[in-house]
Amino acid sequence: MTVRLGIVGVGVMGADHARTIASQVAGAAIHSIYDANQERARQIADEVGAADVAGDPRRLIDDPQVDAVLIASPDATHKELALACVAARKPVLCEKPLAPTSPECLELIEAELAAGRRFIQVGYMRRYDPSYVAMKNHLAAGQFGKPLMFHCVHRNVAAPPWFDGGMAIANSAVHEFDIARWLLAGELTAISIFRPANISGQSPGAPVFLVLDSAGGSLVTIEVFNDAAYGYDVRGELVCEKGTVELQRPVHGVVNHALLQGTAYPLDWRPRFQDAYRLQAQGWIEGIRTGKPNGASAWDGYAATRVAEAGLRSLKSGLREEISAVPVPKLYG
Amino acid sequence: MTVRLGIVGVGVMGADHARTIASQVAGAAIHSIYDANQERARQIADEVGAADVAGDPRRLIDDPQVDAVLIASPDATHKELALACVAARKPVLCEKPLAPTSPECLELIEAELAAGRRFIQVGYMRRYDPSYVAMKNHLAAGQFGKPLMFHCVHRNVAAPPWFDGGMAIANSAVHEFDIARWLLAGELTAISIFRPANISGQSPGAPVFLVLDSAGGSLVTIEVFNDAAYGYDVRGELVCEKGTVELQRPVHGVVNHALLQGTAYPLDWRPRFQDAYRLQAQGWIEGIRTGKPNGASAWDGYAATRVAEAGLRSLKSGLREEISAVPVPKLYG
Amino acid sequence: MTVRLGIVGVGVMGADHARTIASQVAGAAIHSIYDANQERARQIADEVGAADVAGDPRRLIDDPQVDAVLIASPDATHKELALACVAARKPVLCEKPLAPTSPECLELIEAELAAGRRFIQVGYMRRYDPSYVAMKNHLAAGQFGKPLMFHCVHRNVAAPPWFDGGMAIANSAVHEFDIARWLLAGELTAISIFRPANISGQSPGAPVFLVLDSAGGSLVTIEVFNDAAYGYDVRGELVCEKGTVELQRPVHGVVNHALLQGTAYPLDWRPRFQDAYRLQAQGWIEGIRTGKPNGASAWDGYAATRVAEAGLRSLKSGLREEISAVPVPKLYG
Amino acid sequence: MTVRLGIVGVGVMGADHARTIASQVAGAAIHSIYDANQERARQIADEVGAADVAGDPRRLIDDPQVDAVLIASPDATHKELALACVAARKPVLCEKPLAPTSPECLELIEAELAAGRRFIQVGYMRRYDPSYVAMKNHLAAGQFGKPLMFHCVHRNVAAPPWFDGGMAIANSAVHEFDIARWLLAGELTAISIFRPANISGQSPGAPVFLVLDSAGGSLVTIEVFNDAAYGYDVRGELVCEKGTVELQRPVHGVVNHALLQGTAYPLDWRPRFQDAYRLQAQGWIEGIRTGKPNGASAWDGYAATRVAEAGLRSLKSGLREEISAVPVPKLYG
C-alpha cells in the first residue's frame, strides 16, 4: 500500500520534504501540492511528480485521493490546517511549532481527544537523528546508570534579520526542549536564563544560556547562540553516573590542508539533519501503514511550547520560572 | 512509475537488500522472490510484502510483472542469471563478483555488446558511500591538486572458516580495486604483494599488503587483514599535491567510559556500508527510471576481476605482475 | 645561578613536586626537605639528592642555604608557613589553596604589602598548561573576537571519602575560578549553583553546576562532578564572537581494540597536568632568577577563595550570590 | 652533580639543543660553545649562559671543564669529532646521521670497541617521543599480541632546495628505520621502493613508498613525502594480531572557525618533536649520571645507515634489495 500525500506549503522546508519523500522514502507518493504561490506549487509538483496542484489547502486536505497531509506552511496557519486534518480524520505531519501558543496547541489536543485518536505528528525530527537515537539506546542499555545532566549546544551561523532574542528560545531551544523530554522521558519543570553582558541583548542572535530541571531529577543545560559564525553546530552530552555519551554530527571526511586537520561544518541545519528528515518522513509513513505513530505527538508539541513560554517569562523576569505539571490525557500516555 | 523487482537469492545479502528496498527506497516494489530454499523465500517475501515466490529463477526473470532483477545468489550462478537478464532485456543489479573469472565476465560484456545496451550493474556499493563520494568531490574540486597516492586499509574481525589467502585479494581487495579505478578514473596497471613473515600464509585471514600502479601515475597501496580482530574497519587516504583527504566511517556517538573515550566499530561491513547499500539501491532504481545508469558496469566488474587475477599471480610468483591494457568498448566509454 | 630549594611537605603532591624538579627542571637544586613524617622526608631526600632533612619547617625556611621554598604541607599550615617565608624574604610556591578563608589570604597580602614586594606564588598550575596557554593565545590573537562564554567541565573518577559537597566548589572549582580570571583577565562578579535532584546532595561527589558572570561581561559555566567514574577529565570551550577554542588533553596514542577506537583517560589529575606542574616549577625558578614573577599571586589566591566563598553561600541559599568588587593593590595591578 | 657540556655547532639544531638544555633540562650546565661562526657562538653562549666560547672544536672536546659533548655541526664533520670524543673518553650526543656512510660508522664502532666502552649516543630523538614510547609500551603489555605490520608516514611541508630524491631515504626515512628497529627490536632485512609515476622523480620532494621486512617477520611500510604542503606530519600505526595503536601528535586545542573544526599542524618538525628533544637531552644527561646509556648507540646509527644504503640501491635498481645480517658486537648486545 502506497500512502498518497498532500503537501501544504513548499517554501524551503516544504520543498525539501517533498524532494526527500519523492527520492528517498519508501511507500509514499506525493499526490497533491498546495502553496500560496501557485507557480511555485506547480514547479515543485513537476519536480517531484505530483499529479495535482491544489488551489486551496482545504480542498487538498479533503481530497479523497490524499491519504495524509504534510504541513510546512507559515507557522500562523498550522493550527487551522491541522484542525482540518483532524476533522478529515487524516494523519498529518506538521512542521514545528505545532502552534505559536500553548492554548492553541490545546485546541488541537482537544480536537484529537474528541476524535478519540491521534492524527497529528509534530516535526521534531531530531527524534529520528541517528546520533540522538544512539544516545537514547545507550541510556536504555543501562551500562552508564542514571542520567544526571544533559548538556546541549545549539549554534547557527547567523540569526536571520527578522529574529529577536525570544526566538532563540521559541524557535531554536524548542528542539532541545523536545529532545530532552524524549530522551529523559519526563517533563521539564523549571527554567532559568542567563546571558553574557558583553553583547547587546538587542542583538537578535546573542547567546542565551538555559538551565532546566527535569521531572526525573536530571539537570538540563542549553546554550543557544544564533550568531555563532563558525558553522551550524548542535552538540549534546548526556552525563550519567558511570559514563557519558556525546552526539557526533555526520562527518564524511577529514581534510589535511593549509596547516590544519579538519572536518567541515555545514552552513545550516539541513545537511546536519538530512538523515533525520528522511527517517522522520519514513517513520511517519511507517506509522500510518502500521497504525502505530512513532513521532512527536500534539501533546509533545504542546509541552515544548509550554517550556518555551516559561523561558520567555524567565528572559523577562531574570528569575527561575516554574513550569507547572499538567496531567497527560490517556491518549498520549 | 514504480519499478517492480524480482530478487534472486535471499541469504544474508539478498535479504538485507530486500529489507532495505522495501523499507527505505523510493519508487520500487518487490514483486517476486526466488531462493533455492523456498521456505526462506516465502518468509522474506512475507516480511517485505512481495506478492510472489518464484519456483525457478528463470521464471522470475521472465515474469512480465518483473521490471528489473537483483541477483544475490551464490557467486557461481551470477553469470548464467545475468545472461538471462540481458536476454530478457531487463536491468539487473548483480552482487559482486560479476563472475569468478575474467573470461566469464567477458561473456557478459559480449552479451551486452550484442544487445547494444547496458543492462548490468555490479554491486560495488562503495561508489555510493558518502565518504568515498566526498573524497571524489574533493578531488574534482581541484583544491588539492593531482592525486599522488591512495592508501587503503580493509580489515575484518575474523576471516570465515572457508576463507583462503587468495580470497583476501579476490573477495576483499576487489572493493578497493573498483573504488581506486573509480576515484582515480583510470585502470590499475601493475601489482606487487607483500606479506608479514611472522604469521602463517596458510592462516586464511593473514594480512596481505598490495602496491599498485594506476594508469594516471598514482600509486595505490592496500592492506587487507581479514583477521584484524578489533572491528570491521575500512580506511582510505588520498594524498594529493597540496593536501590529503581521509575517509571517515559513520560514527553516531562518542562514549566516555571505563578510562576510555571511544567510538564504536561494527562487527561487520553492514553497519559501515548501510547507507551505501541504500543509496546504491536508490541509485539503481533512479538509473532505471531515467535510463541513465550510474553504478559499476559489467566492464567495471571485468576490470576489477582482472586486477584480482594479477594479484593472485603475484601472490604465487612473489613478483610484480603487470596488468595489460585492454581497449574499452564504446558502450562503456 | 642555581636556585637552592627547601620543600615543606612531601606527601603525594610534595613528593611529585620534588621528583619533577630534581629530574626535569633546569636551574634548581633541592637542598632541604621537611615533613612531619621524618622518615618519609629522609626517603624522598635520598631519592632526589637533597643534602638536608630539616627537623622543623621554620628552620628550613630560615636556612641561609635555602633560596626559595615550596610548600606542599596540609592546607591549614599554608598561611603560617607562607608568612614565615615573607618574613624571611624568600620566594615561595604555595600549593593551593593559599589559605582556607579569604581573611587569612588577606593577612598574606598585607604581609607582602608591608614587605613592599611579592614573594608568594600560588600553585594554580593550569596557567602553565599548554592547552590553556594555547587558548589564551588564540584569544589574544583576536581572530575570534570577544569572548562571550567560557564553558568548563571538571570531572574526577571518585570523590575521596573525606569529601563533602562544598569541596566540589572550594577544592575543585577553584581551579576554574582561577583560570577563568586569568583567561578573561577580570574578576568573577556573581555565582549561581544548580544540582541535579536525582542524586543525593549528601553524596560527596554529586555534580554541581555553576553559572558565573565575569567583570568583562562573559558568562562562565562550570560543571564539577567528582564521582564521574569514567576518568579524570577537564574540559573547556571558549566561545567567542567568531569561533570557539576547545582544550585538548594530552593524548599520546589512539587504540583500536575490542570494537572500540579509543584514547585513554587518566585515573587522576597528575598525568593530565604533568606538563603543567613541570612548567610551573620551571616558570617559578625562571621568575626567581629574573625577578619577574609569572604565576598566580597571593592576590589571585585571595580572589579565587572569595569566589569559592560566594559559591558556598549560593549552595546554601539556592540563590545567585554577588561577589563584591575589591580594589586591587598596586603591587598586584 | 651537574654535567658540564660543550656544544659543537649552534646552527638551527645546535642552538635549539642549547636553549632546551639551558631552560628545561635538570642536572646540566653549558660550559663551552664552538661554532665556525664565532660571532654566532658568542651570541648563543650569552643567551644560554655558557662561560666559554671555544676557538676550536678539539680544544672544546679536550677542555677538562667539559664533561660531555653535543655535536650539531655539519654532517661531514660528525665522524672526526665523535672520534675525538671517544679518544678523550667523553660521552657525546651526536646529531644524526652518525656519519654519511656505513664504513665511516664502523670506524666509530671500532673506536668504541677499542676503548671498551660506549661513549656515543646518536640523536634519534623519536625514541624519547611520548607517542612512540606509548606505542612500545602497548606492544610490551602484550594485550594486542604480535606486531604484524608497522605503517609509517613522514611528511614535510616542502623539501629544501638542496634536497634530492635520495635524501628522502637517507635524511628522512632513516628516522623511521631507527624507530622501526627500536620498536620491533630487530633488524630490517630487505627493502623495496615505489614512486608515483605522475610526479617527476627529479622533483626533490616527490614521494617515495618503502616496504621493508624486519627480522622478526613484521612488515614495515613507509611513505616519505617531503613536499606534502599541508603541514609537518608524522604518523605511525602498529598493527598487531588483536588490535592496533596509532601515534597521536601533540595537539593543544581544537578550533571551530570558518566552517571547519580543526587542529593545527606545525610548519616543521620542531614543535612536533619538542618534547622528544627535551626528553632526549634529559635522558642523555641521566645516562651520563647513572652510567647507563638509554638512547641510540653508534651501532644503531650504523644499522640505520646500512638500511638507507640499501634503500638507495633499490631506488636505482627498482628491485627489492636485501640487507645482509651483521653480528652485533657484545658491547651493543
Side-chain angles (χ1 to χ4, degrees), chain C residues 95-119:
Chain C
E95 257 305 322
K96 51 128 299 225
L98 178 54
T101 68
S102 60
E104 291 167 289
C105 293
L106 262 187
E107 278 185 62
L108 288 160
I109 285 164
E110 274 150 27
E112 287 197 328
L113 289 173
R117 243 195 68 192
R118 287 175 51 181
F119 294 98

Side-chain angles (χ1 to χ4, degrees), chain B residues 259-294:
Chain B
L259 297 179
L260 268 185
Q261 175 164 63
T263 58
Y265 282 111
L267 264 167
D268 67 26
W269 70 94
R270 285 177 295 170
R272 169 64 182 88
F273 287 113
Q274 177 181 311
D275 240 33
Y277 281 113
R278 178 179 66 81
L279 292 164
Q280 174 182 256
Q282 191 69 69
W284 180 51
I285 297 299
E286 186 67 16
I288 292 169
R289 291 167 88 173
T290 61
K292 293 185 192 148
N294 50 55

Side-chain angles (χ1 to χ4, degrees), chain B residues 114-129:
Chain B
R117 241 194 70 192
R118 286 176 52 182
F119 293 98
I120 299 168
Q121 176 169 338
V122 185
Y124 284 119
M125 80 293 176
R126 291 194 189 179
R127 294 176 176 222
Y128 296 91
D129 177 72

